[in-house]
Amino acid sequence: MSSVIATTRFSVLDRSRTREGRTDAEALRDTVTLAQELEELGYHRIWVSEHHGVPGVAGSAPTVLAAAVASATRTIRVGTGGVMLPNHQPLVVAEQFGVLESLFPGRVDMGIGRSVGFTDGVRKALGRDKGDAEDFAPQIQELLGWFRGTSTTGVHARPAEGLTVPPFVLAMGEGADVAARAGLPMVIGDLRSREKMQRGIDHYRAHFRPSPWASEPYVMVSGTIAVAATPEEARRLLLPEAWSMAYSRTHGTFPPLPPAERVESLTMTGKERGFYESGLTGHIAGTEEQVAHELETVLKETGAQEVLVTTSTYDRAALVDSYRRLARIITR
């Protein structure tokens, strides 16, 4: 194993993707089971996500799901990738993470993002609009203030005040600048847009201001990594997510993941085919040797301290096998 891979942390974001013919409840239970499997394989952390009103994603309440994951595991770090801060009052978010940290001390991460919903209907249901994302930076400062007891309201966040829950900023769009100026670790993706990702990392490092939360920049790069016995098998892992993404881009709703064999038999419109083919490119996918080589290149280019793997596919056994093969790359 290369020294750069050996010194890098590897973690997983599981979105609790629903699969055709399976229930939301099964998707959530699969996330909990996956966490146990990842812990056995030696991954550093598992994060869960926040999506609202999306047929293909069961994970709508990340702090609730994180509690279930933490209670079913012993050592792996557990967190959110992320809680979408504009959707919530910072006090409530602080309280939720205070509860998590109190129940599972030293294992909880607070990943936060600035998205405000997938569609106009979801934003309306949440009582938010796109403009609420513009207040992301002050919302972060308010959130962190609840942990440090610096609120000017005279209110104290219990049990959050005085606890340390590591915060991470999901850097989409302006997120790299927000993370740098707040002095927080940054998660940036995706691996398909290497040049854009590198620009964000360079900006983050150049503008980073040390804070009580981080004395120096910390970069976590995120993206899809698929490992299998052959390049063809690794590519098949990508098909369900690529089709669901293409469907969402052409129909406005993100569906459950279909089996790869059904995707292969579909007749697609020209527009769907274009999005689908685009969705298959740029990921890290292949045999263990191929993936190890590509990972080494990415890590040397970015200088990232951690990789957050975000792979989703229909075949759960193949997904777990991919994580098992990746763990072999990490530890050999």
Side-chain angles (χ1 to χ4, degrees):
M1 177 175 57
S2 75
S3 59
V4 68
I5 293 177
T7 56
T8 302
R9 291 168 168 168
F10 282 80
S11 301
V12 172
L13 167 65
D14 190 70
R15 294 188 175 90
S16 304
R17 295 285 275 109
T18 53
R19 296 167 171 85
E20 283 188 359
R22 307 288 295 276
T23 65
D24 288 343
E26 288 174 297
L28 294 170
R29 286 194 288 266
D30 283 346
T31 293
V32 175
T33 302
L34 178 64
Q36 295 170 321
E37 292 162 329
L38 294 172
E39 182 173 72
E40 290 295 318
L41 292 171
Y43 283 87
H44 185 60
R45 54 180 124 236
I46 178 170
W47 284 1
V48 296
S49 63
E50 175 182 339
H51 295 273
H52 299 284
V54 180
V57 182
S60 56
T63 53
V64 177
L65 183 53
V69 168
S71 66
T73 53
R74 295 172 291 104
T75 57
I76 194 169
R77 295 194 65 87
V78 178
T80 55
V83 166
M84 296 301 135
L85 195 51
N87 292 340
H88 311 279
Q89 292 297 329
L91 169 61
V92 175
V93 175
E95 290 171 336
Q96 290 174 347
F97 279 97
V99 169
L100 284 171
E101 177 62 22
S102 298
L103 292 172
F104 310 102
R107 290 179 56 203
V108 176
D109 301 320
M110 183 170 62
I112 47 181
R114 69 191 294 270
S115 174
V116 284
F118 189 61
T119 65
D120 289 338
V122 169
R123 287 189 287 271
K124 183 177 180 181
L126 290 170
R128 299 292 187 267
D129 59 44
K130 289 183 177 179
D132 287 310
E134 303 307 314
D135 295 326
F136 186 45
Q139 287 170 339
I140 289 176
Q141 292 307 317
E142 181 182 345
L143 172 62
L144 299 180
W146 289 115
F147 288 92
R148 305 193 71 201
T150 58
S151 172
T152 59
T153 63
V155 176
H156 297 272
R158 307 193 189 281
E161 189 172 309
L163 298 180
T164 299
V165 181
F168 296 78
V169 173
L170 276 61
M172 305 297 288
E174 298 173 9
D177 189 64
V178 172
R181 296 184 185 282
L184 299 179
M186 175 184 73
V187 185
I188 188 165
D190 63 38
L191 293 170
R192 299 173 59 213
S193 306
R194 304 282 176 85
E195 289 185 13
K196 182 180 179 182
M197 185 174 72
Q198 191 63 53
R199 286 196 301 272
I201 292 170
D202 292 343
H203 180 92
Y204 169 71
R205 290 199 175 110
H207 295 85
F208 183 85
R209 299 173 180 172
S211 74
W213 304 93
S215 60
E216 57 188 26
Y218 188 92
V219 174
M220 193 189 309
V221 294
S222 69
T224 294
I225 301 175
V227 197
T230 66
E232 293 74 25
E233 289 178 54
R235 186 178 185 276
R236 287 193 93 232
L237 283 170
L238 306 176
L239 302 187
E241 182 79 7
W243 166 246
S244 291
M245 188 64 69
Y247 188 92
S248 74
R249 297 289 296 274
T250 51
H251 294 78
T253 185
F254 202 74
L257 293 170
E261 53 268 24
R262 192 170 82 75
V263 176
E264 291 171 322
S265 68
L266 288 172
T267 300
M268 302 183 195
T269 66
K271 192 173 184 181
E272 287 171 342
R273 176 67 63 178
F275 284 126
Y276 173 68
E277 294 294 344
S278 175
L280 291 172
T281 62
H283 305 292
I284 297 180
T287 63
E288 290 175 37
E289 183 178 349
Q290 291 170 325
V291 168
H293 176 75
E294 188 68 19
L295 273 175
E296 187 171 2
T297 300
V298 169
L299 292 171
K300 286 180 177 178
E301 287 176 354
T302 63
Q305 289 98 327
E306 188 166 348
V307 176
L308 183 69
V309 187
T310 63
T311 311
S312 297
T313 194
Y314 178 87
D315 186 336
R316 191 179 178 282
L319 178 64
V320 174
D321 181 65
S322 177
Y323 282 127
R324 187 176 294 113
R325 291 174 182 275
L326 179 57
R328 286 208 292 261
I329 296 170
I330 298 165
T331 56
R332 73 186 178 195

